[in-house]
Amino acid sequence: FIACAHGGTSMTTWDPALKEQGGKSLYGAMVRRVQKNGGRVAGVLWHQGCSETAVENQPVYTDRMRRLVAAMRADFAGPALPVVMAQIARFVYCDQMTDGSGYMAVRELQRRLPEAIPHLAVVPTIDLPIDDIIHLAGDGLNVLGGRMADVMRHLTSHGKAGRRPLALRGLRVEPARRGDPWKYKILVDFSNVAGGLQAPGRPTGFHVASGGQALMHYDTRLEGDSVALYVEAMQGVPIKDVALSYGYGLNPYCNITDAENHSLPAFGPLPLAWPG
């Protein structure tokens, strides 16, 4: 391992355009370290993103990640250099200061990065413990390390070893009971699940909203590779603009994993096509 990390950094401080500054820039310092160790690496582990939650940074985050990964692949002599990154976790902060929308936006952008950057995978952290208001605890980092190693083995072996992270496969809504116009079941399907989904105690972490207000979500059931969410609408109150999230807000409690302790990804809010 070649450690190049620095706490509290933003994507602008990792800008590949600053490479010529050498050790005076984070990107330049990283390239210098790699060059001193032979100039090539088997893969990159990346854990950053909290600084991108500001409104002005969200629209340019994906392009900045594209440029960063392209530069690393050019500088480390690997056009298909595998990159495994951690999705940002929780932040315990005064709710009056922020509604958490920035954190949710960046988690969703990170979840979808593999669609924009080949040979990149994103590992969830939303279920892991923290030991201050923002940093993962030692136990959480150990779990994250295992998850990232599993996924990196998959990428470096071209799928012959390791595994892919859990990924959202589909959403659908259907009536929960025949003839009952107020109760609905939301089915959330996932791929790459090992041994079925599980949770200690009551499965928790989903949030369903209609018109910006939470719907009455009264049950969550794990069914193999899927999650069934049961919600009830108030009679006489129209259901509109329904959206689903996992890991809603700044400091959600999420506890659903598969049998190998890989977490569901934080996602959303994603719109739902509502029947009727």
Side-chain angles (χ1 to χ4, degrees):
F1 285 90
I2 305 172
C4 302
H6 196 287
T9 60
S10 67
M11 290 296 294
T12 55
T13 61
W14 287 95
D15 189 346
L18 304 177
K19 181 175 71 170
E20 300 308 319
Q21 295 182 10
K24 294 181 180 180
S25 77
L26 292 176
Y27 187 85
M30 176 175 63
V31 171
R32 186 176 63 178
R33 285 191 178 104
V34 172
Q35 289 174 342
K36 287 184 175 182
N37 286 276
R40 294 178 65 90
V41 293
V44 172
L45 304 179
W46 183 256
H47 192 179
Q48 187 274 343
C50 295
S51 297
E52 313 317 310
T53 58
V55 173
E56 64 273 16
N57 291 334
Q58 296 168 30
V60 295
Y61 176 72
T62 299
D63 284 340
R64 284 174 171 170
M65 281 299 302
R66 278 198 192 100
R67 290 197 296 271
L68 176 66
V69 172
M72 290 190 294
R73 288 172 173 168
D75 288 326
F76 304 156
L81 179 72
V83 177
V84 175
M85 61 180 289
Q87 194 180 36
I88 58 173
R90 299 180 288 128
F91 183 21
V92 181
Y93 202 61
C94 178
D95 287 339
Q96 284 77 14
M97 300 295 291
T98 176
D99 61 2
S101 58
Y103 268 68
M104 290 189 292
V106 171
R107 291 183 198 127
E108 177 66 9
L109 289 169
Q110 290 178 328
R111 182 184 74 87
R112 302 195 65 168
L113 272 179
E115 301 171 13
I117 304 174
H119 309 297
L120 178 145
V122 179
V123 175
T125 66
I126 198 67
D127 63 316
L128 298 179
I130 54 180
D131 65 2
D132 55 26
I133 64 170
I134 194 169
H135 296 102
L136 292 179
D139 289 347
L141 287 170
N142 287 335
V143 173
L144 175 59
R147 290 174 180 175
M148 296 181 90
D150 281 346
V151 176
M152 183 61 79
R153 278 196 294 269
H154 181 83
L155 292 178
T156 55
S157 70
H158 305 287
K160 296 178 182 178
R163 56 165 297 172
R164 291 179 291 176
L166 274 65
L168 179 64
R169 188 174 70 230
L171 304 170
R172 61 191 190 279
V173 184
E174 59 189 44
R177 296 179 185 175
R178 183 176 299 176
D180 189 332
W182 308 110
K183 291 184 172 66
Y184 295 89
K185 178 168 69 172
I186 303 169
L187 289 165
V188 192
D189 301 321
F190 295 91
S191 56
N192 311 324
V193 177
L197 296 175
Q198 59 186 29
R202 182 165 61 94
T204 304
F206 285 92
H207 181 269
V208 191
S210 170
Q213 300 296 318
L215 274 177
M216 290 183 288
H217 168 202
Y218 62 88
D219 197 9
T220 300
R221 301 177 190 176
L222 306 181
E223 302 175 351
D225 295 356
S226 301
V227 180
L229 308 172
Y230 292 82
V231 300
E232 183 170 352
M234 293 182 64
Q235 296 188 24
V237 178
I239 298 176
K240 61 180 181 179
D241 302 326
V242 182
L244 176 68
S245 304
Y246 185 73
Y248 182 87
L250 280 177
N251 185 30
Y253 177 69
C254 301
N255 68 349
I256 303 174
T257 68
D258 69 6
E260 294 182 355
N261 201 23
H262 278 251
S263 170
L264 296 185
F267 66 81
L270 298 180
L272 289 173
W274 208 257

